[in-house]
Amino acid sequence: MDQVNTLIKDFGIPKPSKSTILSIGAAISVSYLCWKIIRLIKPPRKLSHIPHISFYCHVKSIIERKPYSQISREFVMPLLISSSTIGYLKPDALGWTLNITNPEATKDFFLKTDIYPKANFKVGKGTLFQNFIGDDNIAFASGGNEWKKHRKLVNPAFHKNMPIKLFTTLTHKVFKVLDDANEKPINATKLLERFTLQAIGLAGFGFDFDAILNPDSEWVTVYANIRAGIADPLYFVFPWLDQKLLWLLPKRQEAHRLSDRFHGMMDGLIEEKRQLLRQQKTKHDQDECADAEKDILTLMLEAELSGEGTLTHEELKSNLNVFFLAGHDTTANALSAAIYHLATHPMIQQKARDEALSILGDDPEDVFPTLQEIKRFKYINQIIKETLRFHAPAINGLPRVVTQDTELAGVFLPKGTPVLVNTYDLHHNPCVWTNPDRFDPARFDKDSDAELRPSMSWVPFYNGQRMCIGMQFSLMEQRVLLSCLLRKYEWRLPDDSKHKDELITGNIGLLVAKDLDVIFKRRY
């Protein structure tokens, strides 16, 4: 109203009636709203040369809970086939975002961190995801000294931590669950989520969730409800429900309370370990536990006490929550997908079993693989790599923002453009991979010419400076579980499996296999 009156006064226009002023104000408001909607549903003019998925199709597919594989086939692959492009545009949290699906562009994106730095933004302030994971961590540090501060403590801890004995001990607990099932279908998705939950709890900060043998334990239930709330597509598409209308949503309020409760548990663990390490340092106690089997929190606190760097309590907790969320769900998804592909390809499963038996022995008893034995796996590693290509646990990594007008693999990008690598679509790009919808571990046989492809065609852990620091941790966990499973069991899908034709997953963030039932049969 004031703006309309100012225009009237400045231009000497006769003062209109109140109803006319209200009409003009309404017209201006509607025009502004239309402009905002157009910006939301249509890519910016400066990016019109890049193909895009329509806003309507994108949102509709998410709300309908279509598997991402179906969304990719329907909307993405036609763009990649019909266009010689570096990728495509899709509406995201930062606006219309370039999803890279081209190896050449991927390489530039990862290596030119001055032009493509981490996006400097707070992740959904006020959302459940932000409540759980926090802001001050290595994943969301935008760069420079802030990122280096986190990396200085975090990176060495992950390099030292490789708890093979722990992974094997937990695998033997998985055997107990499979034996109790007595060749009846068992939900492998849920079981593997519990396995990786207990693994990251113990290996990450020394907390036993008692998840494998006790699926209804207190903290398993707490975390499951938090995780379900974070993955809810309604709040992903409309984050303002969390931010503005939480007071109207009692179930959502409960999810936030559970996240606060989880933080309270973490606070107690951090303080307890700090005190214990201070006492050991004062008393000159000798810790005989090898670094490889120490939890990550202990290694980070030891590095801090030795003067290698310092993180605040909140920074330390936020980093642990990042490791927890990323290290638990992604590895569980990768293992679920590997078990699915081995179930649907019995010849590949048997070839992998033969390798496991040749290295770990065929005696009818449970074994503890050594690091030297695990390093000898060749075909099992190929299966893991092909699984991570076919079903990368996360659709994409965190976005970055272009700092200046530039060209990426010959395509103009204006300053301010959000950019990320869409690992799923890159790994299924028919211009990069031969028969990308066929599961074929031979692609990764270094002794054959099964697949000739450019570098950075396979990036499930991203690449460059900001490559996932938990990569070796996850790969080791997968090798231990799969090799031990192959020695003791054969498995297949039930005849009526809904995954018979393809693995059905979600479509946001992490690709979780939906209720993957599998039948395991003991070999000894």
Side-chain angles (χ1 to χ4, degrees):
M1 182 77 74
D2 291 340
Q3 291 175 332
V4 174
N5 285 327
T6 300
L7 287 171
I8 291 170
K9 182 179 178 181
D10 289 347
F11 289 94
I13 301 172
K15 188 173 182 179
S17 65
K18 186 175 182 180
S19 62
T20 303
I21 293 175
L22 289 173
S23 298
I24 294 172
I28 292 173
S29 298
V30 170
S31 298
Y32 176 76
L33 181 61
C34 290
W35 175 73
K36 292 285 286 185
I37 291 174
I38 289 171
R39 288 193 66 185
L40 182 67
I41 65 176
K42 189 176 180 180
R45 186 178 301 173
K46 287 185 176 181
L47 295 174
S48 60
H49 56 292
I50 301 175
H52 70 277
I53 295 177
S54 79
F55 177 83
Y56 172 76
C57 291
H58 174 62
V59 173
K60 182 171 181 287
S61 297
I62 290 176
I63 293 175
E64 290 178 346
R65 299 177 183 263
K66 285 185 177 181
Y68 190 78
S69 57
Q70 184 178 342
I71 295 173
S72 181
R73 285 195 301 269
E74 283 186 30
F75 303 118
V76 178
M77 292 306 136
L79 298 178
L80 304 187
I81 294 171
S82 62
S83 307
S84 55
T85 178
I86 61 172
Y88 65 96
L89 298 174
K90 184 169 69 173
D92 216 326
L94 294 179
W96 283 92
T97 301
L98 172 62
N99 284 241
I100 298 173
T101 60
N102 170 280
E104 180 186 354
T106 296
K107 186 174 182 178
D108 280 353
F109 172 80
F110 285 138
L111 299 183
K112 296 181 179 178
T113 53
D114 55 332
I115 300 177
Y116 310 104
K118 181 67 66 70
N120 186 16
F121 69 102
K122 298 298 182 183
V123 183
K125 194 71 175 177
T127 64
L128 179 62
F129 179 68
Q130 189 271 339
N131 180 315
F132 181 76
I133 210 166
D135 298 316
D136 300 320
N137 54 62
I138 192 170
F140 297 113
S142 57
N145 294 331
E146 184 67 19
W147 176 76
K148 289 178 182 178
K149 178 182 74 172
H150 291 275
R151 190 84 178 192
K152 188 175 181 179
L153 281 179
V154 171
N155 203 37
F158 264 94
H159 282 179
K160 293 177 182 177
N161 175 264
M162 199 54 64
I164 297 173
K165 290 180 181 178
L166 171 64
F167 293 153
T168 308
T169 298
L170 297 181
T171 296
H172 293 169
K173 290 189 176 184
V174 170
F175 293 170
K176 176 71 167 59
V177 177
L178 298 181
D179 290 344
D180 289 346
N182 196 24
E183 297 187 27
K184 292 179 181 177
I186 189 167
N187 190 322
T189 304
K190 299 296 184 185
L191 177 57
L192 292 168
E193 286 173 355
R194 295 185 343 245
F195 166 75
T196 56
L197 176 64
Q198 195 158 343
I200 195 63
L202 288 167
F205 40 89
F207 183 78
D208 190 350
F209 281 86
D210 187 24
I212 299 172
L213 299 180
N214 188 4
D216 299 319
S217 69
E218 177 186 5
W219 285 106
V220 171
T221 303
V222 168
Y223 179 67
N225 287 328
I226 296 171
R227 181 173 166 272
I230 290 174
D232 191 323
L234 179 65
Y235 294 91
F236 177 83
V237 177
F238 305 112
W240 48 267
L241 291 172
D242 255 339
Q243 298 163 321
K244 305 294 184 183
L245 299 179
L246 184 61
W247 59 281
L248 283 174
L249 304 164
K251 288 186 178 179
R252 196 65 176 176
Q253 292 173 29
E254 176 61 17
H256 280 261
R257 280 193 291 269
L258 290 175
S259 179
D260 293 339
R261 186 179 168 196
F262 189 92
H263 286 170
M265 178 268 286
M266 295 287 286
D267 289 334
L269 280 173
I270 293 170
E271 185 55 34
E272 182 181 330
K273 282 190 179 291
R274 279 191 191 278
Q275 291 181 5
L276 180 62
L277 288 173
R278 289 192 191 106
Q279 292 170 4
Q280 289 179 347
K281 187 175 182 181
T282 301
K283 296 177 181 179
H284 304 287
D285 289 350
Q286 295 297 317
D287 186 359
E288 297 179 357
C289 176
D291 282 347
E293 296 293 332
K294 289 180 182 177
D295 63 72
I296 293 167
L297 172 58
T298 296
L299 291 168
M300 290 174 67
L301 290 175
E302 285 181 344
E304 186 179 279
L305 288 172
S306 66
E308 294 178 33
T310 302
L311 295 177
T312 68
H313 179 89
E314 289 302 314
E315 289 171 337
L316 190 61
K317 184 170 69 174
S318 186
N319 276 305
L320 287 172
N321 285 338
V322 168
F323 308 151
F324 186 79
L325 192 64
H328 160 235
D329 285 332
T330 53
T331 303
N333 295 344
L335 285 168
S336 296
I339 283 175
Y340 164 79
H341 285 296
L342 292 174
T344 54
H345 297 83
M347 292 181 66
I348 293 176
Q349 182 183 149
Q350 186 56 49
K351 184 175 179 180
R353 180 173 295 107
D354 291 341
E355 179 179 71
L357 295 173
S358 69
I359 294 172
L360 302 180
D362 197 11
D363 293 336
E365 59 185 14
D366 298 339
V367 299
F368 278 78
T370 65
L371 178 60
Q372 290 70 28
E373 288 171 333
I374 289 172
K375 286 180 177 179
R376 292 172 58 195
F377 294 140
K378 177 183 175 183
Y379 192 63
I380 290 174
N381 282 338
Q382 290 173 214
I383 289 170
I384 291 172
K385 285 187 173 183
E386 174 67 345
T387 299
L388 291 171
R389 180 199 69 83
F390 204 103
H391 287 291
I395 296 171
N396 52 258
L398 294 173
R400 302 182 185 180
V401 174
V402 180
T403 56
Q404 62 190 52
D405 288 356
T406 189
E407 285 193 356
L408 179 60
V411 176
F412 172 73
L413 296 180
K415 179 181 178 179
T417 303
V419 186
L420 55 79
V421 173
N422 190 306
T423 49
Y424 184 95
D425 292 329
L426 170 63
H427 292 172
H428 287 261
N429 188 341
C431 299
V432 178
W433 299 88
T434 304
N435 296 322
D437 290 329
R438 184 183 70 196
F439 184 79
D440 182 11
R443 298 177 197 275
F444 295 95
D445 186 350
K446 294 180 180 179
D447 298 329
S448 75
D449 296 326
E451 187 81 40
L452 298 175
R453 57 188 179 276
S455 64
M456 295 205 187
S457 303
W458 184 83
V459 289
F461 298 97
Y462 255 39
N463 209 303
Q465 278 189 339
R466 311 212 48 157
M467 177 184 285
C468 174
I469 58 173
M471 179 179 72
Q472 292 303 329
F473 182 94
S474 175
L475 291 174
M476 190 63 67
E477 190 174 358
Q478 293 179 59
R479 290 168 188 145
V480 170
L481 180 81
L482 288 175
S483 61
C484 291
L485 273 181
L486 286 161
R487 284 188 78 253
K488 189 164 187 175
Y489 300 93
E490 297 173 350
W491 61 88
R492 61 181 177 84
L493 299 183
D495 293 337
D496 60 351
S497 174
K498 65 181 178 182
H499 300 277
K500 195 170 185 178
D501 296 325
E502 71 171 329
L503 187 64
I504 307 300
T505 70
N507 56 30
I508 297 175
L510 302 177
L511 297 181
V512 181
K514 295 184 177 180
D515 299 324
L516 175 63
D517 287 341
V518 180
I519 297 172
F520 289 87
K521 180 181 178 181
R522 283 188 61 157
R523 296 184 60 253
Y524 62 83

